[in-house]
Every structure is written in C-alpha cells, then in structure tokens.
Amino acid sequence: MKYDYLIVGAGLFGAVFAYEAHRRGKKCLVIDKRSHLGGNIYTESIDGINVHKYGAHIFHTSNKKVWDYINQFAEFNNFVNSPLAVYKNELYNLPFNMNTFSKMWGIKTPAEAKKIIEQQISELNIVNPSNLEEQALSLVGRDVYEKLIKGYTEKQWGRPCTELPAFIIKRLPLRFTYDNNYFNDCYQGIPIGGYTPIIKKMLAGVEVRLNTDYFDFAKDNNECANKIIFTGMIDEFFNYKLGHLAYRSLKFEHQQLECDNYQGNAVINYTEREIPYTRIIEHKHFEFGQQPTTVITKEFPSEWNPGDEPYYPVNDEENNRLYAAYAEMGRTVSNVIFGGRLGSYKYYDMDKVIEAALSTVASEFCE
Ligand code: FAD
Ligand code: UDP
C-alpha cells in the first residue's frame, strides 16, 4: 500500500485528521473534488477582504480544548456575532433578547417582556412541543415567532415549521438581558486572515490532490491506502442503496460594491418569506476592515438535487432513521471511517467537527 490513509475531503474534519496522522508519522493522501482547500470554511481574499465563500463562519465554542487546539493554527480577533433581523420595515436585534422585545412591544424591563411572552404562550396550550413551530411558540410566543422565525425558517428549510425538528430552534439563545451576542459560548472570534490559512497549516507536508472526485479516483486506486477517512455523503458512498438522505442546499450571490460600508453589520437576516434570500453578509466587518470597497453575499436557500452542494443535513426523524441504517452499513466496511458533517449526517458546527475528528484520532491511534 502506498498510503496509510486516503482522506476524502479537504474540509475541517479531513484536515484535522490528516494533521494528526501526519505528525504521528503516517503517510496520507488528501483528495477533494473542489478546486480549493477548506471545504465550506474556505475564505478567499478579494482586495484585502477575506470573503467567506460558503456563508458566514464564526468560530465559537465552550470547549477549552478545542479553542486551544484551533488557536495553534491562527490568531483569533474579538469579533462577536450580533446579527440584525429585518422584517418588512422593522429592524430587530438577534438573538431574542431585551433589545428585541423592547423594540417589538415598546417595553423596558424583563418582567414586562416575560409577562407578554407568558400571556402569549398560555393562549396556545402547547403541552409537549413536538415540532419546530410548537417549540418556538412555547419559548417566545406568537409575535416573535410570526415576525422573526416562521418566514426565515420556512424558506431556509423549504418545508413548514410543523414538519421540522424542534432542535433546530434550540440553537438560538433566548435571554432577558440586553445582550446581542448570538452565542452563549465562552470563546468566539474570527481567525485573522481567514480560515484557508488554518487548513493550509494543517495540511503542510501532506500530499493533496484537488479536483479529484473519490468515485472516479477509486476506480483505478482502490487499493492505494490501508484505510479511508470519508467526509463526503455517506448515502452517496453506498450508491444510495437504501435511498437518498435529504439535504438542503444554498446558492451564494457575491457582489463587490464601490462603497466602504453597505449595511453596517456583518450579518443581517431577512425574516419575511417573500424575500428569497435569508441573509446578507458584509465580509469586511468580520475583521473590522477599513478598505475603500466592500463585498457582500446574499444567501438563497434551495432544494438539494443530486449534483448540488449538500450544505445542511435535514435531521428529522425519517432521515435520522435512514442515516442510522447507512451508519450500520458503514460499520461493515472495516477499512472506512466516516466523519464530518456529511459522513456523520449531523448539523455540526466547526467546534463539534474538531471534537469529532480528535475523537476519531484518539480511537484510531488507541490513545
Ligand atoms: P465540509 O466542509 O463539507 O468538507 C467536506 C469536503 O469533502 C468538501 O470539501 C467536499 O468537496 C469534499 N468531498 C465530498 N465528497 C467528495 C468526493 N466524492 N470526492 C472528493 N471530495 C469530496 N459552523 C460554525 O461553527 N460557525 C458558523 O458560523 C457556521 N456557519 C455556517 C454557515 C453555513 C452556510 C454552512 C453551510 C455551515 C456553517 N457552519 C458553521 C458549519 C461548518 O461549515 C461545518 O461544521 C464544517 O465546515 C464541516 O466540515 P467538514 O470537513 O465536515 O465538511
Ligand atoms: N432562525 C430564525 N430566524 C433567524 C435566524 C435563525 O428563525 O433570524 C432559525 C432558523 O430555523 C435557523 C435556525 O434558527 O435554521 C438556526 O439558525 P442559525 O443561525 O444557527 O443557522 P445556520 O447559521 O446554521 O444556518
């Protein structure tokens, strides 16, 4: 065998695994079908602005081990994500906090906000929230749900909130303080210079082949490595034998504009259904850029069809069951380890991907 590991995917999972295997003296080959490193965290400099080509990526974690780990590869700035939400002519702070409630109802104190929300919740009579709509309504009441959640969520996921799992909305904090930090985590920031240099550092000294799809490559090179780390779609790996897993895709529309500050914030969400995009990102604000021009990206959710990028797994019960059957099949191929957002079919953030990759490393090298 020429390699100890063939790593399919030069995204964060593949890069962490390759870095750790390489420093243990293992011979690795990383392949990726895209023309660049980094998978979805890839950033590209346009006139000095680091553009997040696959949507806004803010690193946040409460796991000190993961925070220390990623800080080996980059210096992080003190960016705090505080998105705004536009609903028709109204502008609100996110996540749902006293600034949001004050704007929505003209109130000032937590007691007033709680009273309104409790009143709205009690009118609904939801006992055990079983889907995203019930979960959201029973957390924030009808006004916030109708203006800031329903339209956004239905265009993001392409299905009614009643058919979506409750956990998706639990990602967002709800607090009764005037605090616009989108995350509750202890550590947060943007790597100065973007994410691509992180992946480049991880893969220094490792052989990488871009523009290389595993399924073509495997035809002639099936025996090139003792083990495969596969971070692509697990259902595609098995040629969709048990059926297709559902994914959600996105289209990104990037524009460079001749102005120095287009929207005054890194992320603005558009929560009404009628606007076809979910958010506009203005990249320079992630690194407090002072460049004379700016780059913005509109994010349009779309249905996933074979050939599209599968950005989000749809972790409802039906798809989780199908994934479990694929994972069982995965256990029968002893020389392949599945990992990452697509290989594990999990709505992982970057910190969880690092955690999962390090735990794969620990079990692979019996540490
Ligand atoms: P990927 O980055 O998807 O990498 C997999 C790689 O495998 C890809 O490069 C792909 O081309 C390659 N590949 C797939 N199939 C094949 C094949 N057959 N042959 C060869 N190569 C193949 N996380 C956060 O922590 N904070 C955020 O703010 C955040 N924002 C996000 C915003 C968006 C719009 C999205 C979609 C995700 C966001 N995430 C965020 C999640 C983050 O992107 C993921 O956790 C992380 O990128 C997953 O890394 P990965 O290596 O598992 O997968
Ligand atoms: N969400 C919403 N309104 C918003 C922002 C988010 O209803 O303005 C909901 C929506 O269902 C979304 C989920 O919260 O899918 C998680 O949002 P997050 O920002 O974590 O999504 P991601 O960055 O992963 O796309």
Side-chain angles (χ1 to χ4, degrees):
M1 295 277 179
K2 201 163 165 218
Y3 301 100
D4 295 304
Y5 294 98
L6 168 65
I7 297 158
V8 181
L12 188 57
F13 190 99
V16 169
F17 188 90
Y19 174 77
E20 294 297 332
H22 178 70
R23 77 185 185 91
R24 285 167 176 78
K26 303 294 176 194
K27 195 149 192 270
C28 301
L29 171 65
V30 176
I31 61 169
D32 202 298
K33 63 181 177 184
R34 297 190 194 176
S35 59
H36 59 73
L37 301 176
N40 290 338
I41 68 172
Y42 171 67
T43 51
E44 188 178 295
S45 173
I46 299 181
D47 289 344
I49 300 167
N50 293 307
V51 174
H52 298 204
K53 294 291 279 208
Y54 301 95
H57 277 78
I58 299 108
F59 200 96
H60 58 99
T61 188
S62 289
N63 183 332
K64 175 138 184 8
K65 194 177 147 211
V66 167
W67 182 243
D68 290 342
Y69 187 83
I70 197 71
N71 273 271
Q72 296 175 79
F73 302 100
E75 189 183 336
F76 278 74
N77 70 15
N78 63 343
F79 178 84
V80 171
N81 193 27
S82 307
L84 295 163
V86 173
Y87 175 79
K88 305 204 166 157
N89 287 325
E90 301 164 22
L91 186 70
Y92 294 99
N93 288 105
L94 292 174
F96 313 123
N97 75 86
M98 282 307 298
N99 288 303
T100 328
F101 307 139
S102 173
K103 185 80 176 274
M104 192 153 298
W105 300 310
I107 49 100
K108 289 197 187 72
T109 66
E112 289 172 296
K114 281 186 181 160
K115 197 170 157 212
I116 296 175
I117 290 177
E118 275 160 20
Q119 173 67 34
Q120 295 193 357
I121 292 173
S122 73
E123 285 161 9
L124 294 161
N125 263 328
I126 297 168
V127 186
N128 277 323
S130 65
N131 57 51
L132 194 151
E133 175 168 291
E134 291 182 359
Q135 180 70 49
L137 283 169
S138 61
L139 278 175
V140 291
R142 187 165 292 287
D143 289 348
V144 175
Y145 173 70
E146 297 286 349
K147 290 189 170 178
L148 301 181
I149 299 177
K150 190 175 191 304
Y152 185 100
T153 299
E154 294 193 347
K155 64 185 165 181
Q156 166 73 6
W157 296 98
R159 58 200 79 196
C161 290
T162 47
E163 289 174 21
L164 283 164
F167 85 89
I168 295 176
I169 202 67
K170 290 192 200 150
R171 288 171 59 88
L172 303 192
L174 160 68
R175 49 175 99 94
F176 292 90
T177 52
Y178 285 91
D179 176 0
N180 295 328
N181 185 346
Y182 200 57
F183 303 114
N184 279 331
D185 287 318
C186 321
Y187 309 104
Q188 176 173 180
I190 297 286
I192 299 168
Y195 288 90
T196 307
I198 294 182
I199 302 291
K200 279 193 179 149
K201 275 195 191 162
M202 288 177 175
L203 294 178
V206 176
E207 188 179 337
V208 178
R209 290 191 214 167
L210 297 174
N211 302 304
T212 304
D213 191 299
Y214 169 73
F215 300 103
D216 296 331
F217 180 82
K219 283 180 201 149
D220 301 324
N221 300 279
N222 209 13
E223 305 272 284
C224 78
N226 286 321
K227 268 200 172 166
I228 298 172
I229 307 295
F230 188 82
T231 72
M233 296 152 67
I234 190 168
D235 54 342
E236 187 181 20
F237 184 89
F238 290 110
N239 202 16
Y240 307 107
K241 210 180 235 165
L242 307 175
H244 281 265
L245 287 165
Y247 300 90
R248 197 71 184 141
S249 195
L250 298 167
K251 305 274 180 278
F252 297 100
E253 194 182 287
H254 306 288
Q255 281 172 278
Q256 187 168 19
L257 304 175
E258 293 302 320
C259 72
D260 67 338
N261 187 2
Y262 172 74
Q263 63 180 16
N265 204 38
V267 182
I268 301 193
N269 291 0
Y270 288 81
T271 57
E272 62 191 90
R273 189 68 204 258
E274 291 66 31
I275 293 181
Y277 44 87
T278 45
R279 39 193 176 191
I280 301 183
I281 311 304
E282 188 170 13
H283 300 268
K284 68 192 308 178
H285 298 309
F286 288 125
E287 296 188 55
F288 317 112
Q290 297 296 322
Q291 298 84 353
T293 61
T294 196
V295 180
I296 62 164
T297 301
K298 289 186 180 142
E299 203 171 303
F300 297 82
S302 66
E303 214 181 296
W304 178 84
N305 289 303
D308 295 338
E309 284 296 341
Y311 291 106
Y312 293 93
V314 179
N315 288 116
D316 59 13
E317 270 176 39
E318 187 190 341
N319 284 289
N320 284 345
R321 255 199 309 277
L322 182 55
Y323 163 70
Y326 275 119
E328 193 53 48
M329 241 170 152
R331 283 187 275 278
T332 64
V333 270
S334 59
N335 67 330
V336 184
I337 297 173
F338 296 88
R341 225 186 209 204
L342 302 175
S344 319
Y345 197 67
K346 290 205 174 58
Y347 190 178
Y348 275 149
D349 281 332
M350 291 179 276
D351 60 328
K352 295 293 182 289
V353 168
I354 293 175
E355 247 173 64
L358 292 177
S359 121
T360 302
V361 166
S363 69
E364 185 60 13
F365 299 108
C366 304
E367 289 163 358

